[in-house]
């Protein structure tokens, strides 16, 4: 966890200058704790997701403000279909509403939108909207990747299948280039809220050398200040990539 008193941790201003030097390009978020946040308030879980969706927008905006080029969020996993039907429906509604907002504001937001995950179970109309938004925003500055019906194992299997179908040799580069995240740099930092310290099938291939930041803060309580703490702690670490 981040410690404000740790002298090796850079200030926010230093962090911003380190970000602009390219040492932290990609942050991925596991937005956990929506259900607990709602339960604490005696509200249905979907209320937590709804508040979580507004936090997601605030955090994405803030990451752009401090110069983060790539943000990836875990919005809905391949396992999340196992939740009660009305909860699944509420998350899907939030995503569809967000898509609608992006369709209106995409040019102003300057975000390059990309959906990762297996979108095949979604209807044609939804997939067409996603595709159109991705195309329309393809040359925008900062990237926002939304993991939807996403599972790291599923993504690796789909990538290997594609290679096998093409009869191509399965190398690390070929797998990377066949993942949903092809062309996106691996996450430098993965932030998980709500106290759990696991990856839960998120970016399993891409996180080989990522740094992790775990916080007890529930996602709907997430703040720019907490992002600052994660970033400061990241810059206090040494990344060795298996070397000395
Ligand atoms: C995990 O919290 C959160 C999810 C499974 C859904 C995350 C979705 C959102 C924040 C809304 C997404 C919307 C957009 C627009 C991207 P949990 O429900 O597992 O919380 P709990 O562990 O406290 O039960």
């Amino acid at each position: 966890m981040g410690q404000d008193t740790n002298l090796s941790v850079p200030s926010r201003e230093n962090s911003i200058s380190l970000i602009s030097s390219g040492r932290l390009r990609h942050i991925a978020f596991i937005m956990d704790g929506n259900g607990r946040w709602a339960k604490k308030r005696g509200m249905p879980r979907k209320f937590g997701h709804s508040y979580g969706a507004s936090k997601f927008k605030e955090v994405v905006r803030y990451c752009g403000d401090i110069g983060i080029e790539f943000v990836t969020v875990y919005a809905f996993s391949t396992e999340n279909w196992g939740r009660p039907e009305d909860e699944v429906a509420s998350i899907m509604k939030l995503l569809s509403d967000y898509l609608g907002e992006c369709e209106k504001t995409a040019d102003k937001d300057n975000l390059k939108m990309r959906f990762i995950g297996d979108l095949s179970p979604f209807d044609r109309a939804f997939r067409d909207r996603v595709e159109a938004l991705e195309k329309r925003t393809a040359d925008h500055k900062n990237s926002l990747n939304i993991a939807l019906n996403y599972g790291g194992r599923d993504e690796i299997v789909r990538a290997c299948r594609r290679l096998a179908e093409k009869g191509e040799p399965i190398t690390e580069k070929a797998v990377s280039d066949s993942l949903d995240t092809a062309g996106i740099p691996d996450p430098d930092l993965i932030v998980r809220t709500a106290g759990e310290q696991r990856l839960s099938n998120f970016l399993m291939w891409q996180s080989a050398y990522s740094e992790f930041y775990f916080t007890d803060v529930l996602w709907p309580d997430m703040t720019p200040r907490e992002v600052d703490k994660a970033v400061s702690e990241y810059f206090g670490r040494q990344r060795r990539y298996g070397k000395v």
Side-chain angles (χ1 to χ4, degrees), residues 31-37 45 49 52-53 56-57 73-76 80 83 87 91 94-95 98 146 219:
M31 308 182 285
D32 197 10
N34 294 343
R36 274 165 281 175
W37 185 89
R45 295 173 58 81
H49 295 310
F56 145 80
K57 291 174 213 167
V73 294
Y74 206 3
F76 194 84
N80 288 154
R83 295 186 175 215
E87 183 175 344
I91 299 175
L94 289 168
L95 282 159
Y98 181 63
I146 298 184
W219 178 261

Coordinates of all heavy atoms in Angstrom, one line a residue, residues 31-37 45 49 52-53 56-57 73-76 80 83 87 91 94-95 98 146 219, ligand 1:
M31 N -11.9 -2.8 -11.2 CA -12.8 -1.9 -10.5 C -13.7 -2.7 -9.5 O -14.8 -3.0 -9.8 CB -13.7 -1.1 -11.5 CG -12.9 -0.4 -12.6 SD -14.0 0.5 -13.7 CE -14.7 -0.8 -14.7
D32 N -13.1 -3.1 -8.4 CA -13.8 -4.0 -7.5 C -14.4 -3.3 -6.3 O -13.9 -2.3 -5.9 CB -12.8 -5.1 -7.0 CG -13.5 -6.3 -6.4 OD1 -14.7 -6.4 -6.6 OD2 -12.8 -7.1 -5.8
G33 N -15.5 -3.8 -5.8 CA -16.1 -3.3 -4.6 C -17.4 -2.6 -4.7 O -17.9 -2.0 -3.7
N34 N -17.9 -2.6 -5.9 CA -19.2 -1.9 -6.1 C -20.3 -2.5 -5.3 O -21.1 -1.7 -4.7 CB -19.6 -2.0 -7.6 CG -18.7 -1.3 -8.5 OD1 -17.9 -0.4 -8.1 ND2 -18.8 -1.6 -9.8
G35 N -20.4 -3.8 -5.2 CA -21.4 -4.5 -4.5 C -21.3 -4.2 -3.0 O -22.3 -3.8 -2.3
R36 N -20.1 -4.3 -2.4 CA -19.9 -4.0 -1.0 C -20.2 -2.6 -0.7 O -20.8 -2.3 0.4 CB -18.5 -4.3 -0.6 CG -18.3 -5.8 -0.2 CD -16.8 -6.2 -0.2 NE -16.3 -6.4 -1.6 CZ -15.0 -6.6 -1.8 NH1 -14.1 -6.6 -0.9 NH2 -14.6 -6.8 -3.1
W37 N -19.9 -1.7 -1.6 CA -20.1 -0.3 -1.3 C -21.6 0.0 -1.2 O -22.1 0.7 -0.3 CB -19.6 0.5 -2.5 CG -19.6 2.0 -2.4 CD1 -18.7 2.9 -1.8 CD2 -20.7 2.9 -2.9 NE1 -19.1 4.2 -1.9 CE2 -20.3 4.2 -2.6 CE3 -21.9 2.6 -3.6 CZ2 -21.1 5.3 -2.9 CZ3 -22.7 3.7 -3.9 CH2 -22.3 5.0 -3.5
R45 N -27.1 -3.9 -5.3 CA -25.8 -3.9 -5.9 C -25.7 -3.0 -7.1 O -24.6 -2.4 -7.4 CB -25.3 -5.3 -6.2 CG -25.2 -6.3 -5.0 CD -25.0 -7.7 -5.4 NE -23.8 -7.8 -6.3 CZ -22.5 -7.8 -5.8 NH1 -22.3 -7.8 -4.6 NH2 -21.5 -7.9 -6.7
H49 N -22.8 -0.3 -8.9 CA -22.3 -0.3 -10.3 C -22.5 1.1 -10.9 O -21.7 1.6 -11.7 CB -22.9 -1.4 -11.1 CG -22.6 -2.8 -10.6 ND1 -21.3 -3.2 -10.4 CD2 -23.3 -3.9 -10.3 CE1 -21.3 -4.4 -9.9 NE2 -22.5 -4.9 -9.9
G52 N -20.2 3.4 -9.5 CA -18.9 2.9 -10.0 C -18.6 3.4 -11.4 O -17.5 3.8 -11.8
A53 N -19.7 3.5 -12.2 CA -19.6 3.9 -13.6 C -19.2 5.4 -13.7 O -18.4 5.8 -14.5 CB -20.8 3.6 -14.4
F56 N -15.6 5.6 -12.8 CA -14.8 5.2 -13.9 C -14.5 6.4 -14.8 O -13.4 6.7 -15.2 CB -15.5 4.1 -14.6 CG -15.4 4.0 -16.1 CD1 -14.2 3.5 -16.7 CD2 -16.4 4.5 -16.9 CE1 -14.1 3.5 -18.0 CE2 -16.2 4.5 -18.3 CZ -15.1 4.0 -18.9
K57 N -15.6 7.2 -15.1 CA -15.4 8.3 -16.0 C -14.4 9.4 -15.4 O -13.6 9.9 -16.1 CB -16.7 9.0 -16.3 CG -17.7 8.1 -17.1 CD -19.0 8.7 -17.3 CE -20.1 7.7 -17.4 NZ -21.5 8.1 -17.2
V73 N -9.8 -0.9 -18.4 CA -10.7 -1.2 -17.3 C -11.4 -2.6 -17.5 O -11.7 -2.9 -18.6 CB -11.8 -0.1 -17.0 CG1 -11.1 1.2 -16.6 CG2 -12.7 0.1 -18.2
Y74 N -11.5 -3.3 -16.4 CA -12.2 -4.6 -16.4 C -13.6 -4.3 -16.1 O -14.0 -4.2 -14.9 CB -11.5 -5.4 -15.3 CG -11.6 -6.9 -15.4 CD1 -12.1 -7.5 -16.6 CD2 -11.0 -7.7 -14.4 CE1 -12.1 -8.9 -16.7 CE2 -11.0 -9.1 -14.6 CZ -11.6 -9.7 -15.7 OH -11.6 -11.1 -15.8
A75 N -14.5 -4.2 -17.1 CA -15.9 -3.8 -16.9 C -16.7 -5.0 -16.7 O -17.7 -5.0 -15.9 CB -16.4 -3.0 -18.1
F76 N -16.4 -6.2 -17.4 CA -17.3 -7.3 -17.3 C -16.5 -8.6 -17.7 O -16.0 -8.6 -18.8 CB -18.5 -7.2 -18.2 CG -19.6 -8.2 -17.9 CD1 -20.6 -7.9 -16.9 CD2 -19.7 -9.3 -18.6 CE1 -21.6 -8.8 -16.6 CE2 -20.7 -10.2 -18.3 CZ -21.7 -10.0 -17.3
N80 N -18.6 -13.1 -15.1 CA -19.7 -12.3 -14.5 C -21.1 -12.6 -15.0 O -22.1 -12.2 -14.4 CB -19.4 -10.8 -14.8 CG -18.3 -10.2 -14.0 OD1 -17.6 -9.2 -14.4 ND2 -18.0 -10.7 -12.8
R83 N -23.7 -13.9 -12.5 CA -24.4 -13.1 -11.4 C -25.9 -13.1 -11.7 O -26.3 -13.4 -12.8 CB -23.8 -11.7 -11.5 CG -22.3 -11.7 -11.1 CD -21.8 -10.3 -11.0 NE -20.5 -10.3 -10.5 CZ -19.9 -9.4 -9.7 NH1 -20.6 -8.4 -9.3 NH2 -18.7 -9.6 -9.3
E87 N -28.6 -8.0 -12.1 CA -27.3 -7.3 -11.9 C -26.6 -7.3 -13.3 O -26.0 -6.2 -13.7 CB -26.5 -8.0 -10.9 CG -25.2 -7.3 -10.6 CD -24.4 -7.9 -9.5 OE1 -24.9 -8.7 -8.7 OE2 -23.2 -7.5 -9.5
I91 N -25.4 -3.8 -15.4 CA -24.1 -3.5 -15.9 C -24.1 -3.3 -17.4 O -23.5 -2.3 -18.0 CB -23.1 -4.6 -15.5 CG1 -23.0 -4.7 -14.0 CG2 -21.7 -4.3 -16.1 CD1 -22.1 -5.9 -13.5
L94 N -25.5 0.1 -18.2 CA -24.5 1.1 -18.0 C -23.5 1.2 -19.1 O -23.1 2.3 -19.6 CB -23.7 0.9 -16.7 CG -24.5 1.1 -15.4 CD1 -23.7 0.5 -14.2 CD2 -24.7 2.6 -15.1
L95 N -23.1 0.0 -19.6 CA -22.2 0.0 -20.8 C -22.8 0.6 -22.0 O -22.2 1.3 -22.8 CB -21.7 -1.4 -21.0 CG -20.6 -1.8 -20.0 CD1 -20.5 -3.4 -19.9 CD2 -19.3 -1.3 -20.3
Y98 N -23.0 4.2 -21.7 CA -21.7 4.8 -21.9 C -21.4 4.9 -23.4 O -20.8 5.9 -23.8 CB -20.7 4.1 -21.1 CG -19.3 4.7 -21.2 CD1 -19.1 6.0 -20.7 CD2 -18.3 4.0 -21.8 CE1 -17.8 6.6 -20.9 CE2 -17.0 4.6 -22.0 CZ -16.8 5.9 -21.5 OH -15.6 6.5 -21.6
I146 N -11.8 -1.0 -22.9 CA -12.8 -1.5 -22.0 C -12.9 -3.1 -22.2 O -13.2 -3.5 -23.3 CB -14.2 -0.9 -22.3 CG1 -14.1 0.6 -22.1 CG2 -15.3 -1.5 -21.5 CD1 -15.3 1.4 -22.2
W219 N -14.2 0.6 -5.2 CA -14.2 1.4 -6.4 C -15.0 2.6 -6.4 O -14.6 3.7 -6.8 CB -14.5 0.5 -7.6 CG -14.5 1.3 -8.9 CD1 -15.5 1.8 -9.5 CD2 -13.3 1.8 -9.6 NE1 -15.1 2.6 -10.6 CE2 -13.7 2.6 -10.7 CE3 -11.9 1.6 -9.4 CZ2 -12.9 3.2 -11.5 CZ3 -11.0 2.2 -10.3 CH2 -11.5 3.0 -11.3
Ligands
LIG1 C1 -16.8 -5.6 -9.4 O1 -17.4 -5.2 -8.2 C2 -17.3 -4.8 -10.5 C3 -17.9 -5.3 -11.6 C4 -18.1 -6.7 -11.9 C5 -18.5 -4.4 -12.6 C6 -17.7 -3.2 -12.9 C7 -18.5 -2.3 -13.7 C8 -18.6 -1.0 -13.5 C9 -17.8 -0.1 -12.6 C10 -19.5 -0.2 -14.4 C11 -19.0 -0.3 -15.8 C12 -19.4 0.7 -16.5 C13 -18.7 1.3 -17.5 C14 -19.4 2.4 -18.2 C15 -17.3 0.9 -17.9 P1 -18.3 -6.3 -7.4 O2 -19.7 -6.2 -7.9 O3 -17.7 -7.6 -7.6 O4 -18.1 -5.8 -6.0 P2 -18.1 -6.7 -4.7 O5 -16.8 -7.5 -4.7 O6 -18.1 -5.7 -3.6 O7 -19.3 -7.5 -4.7

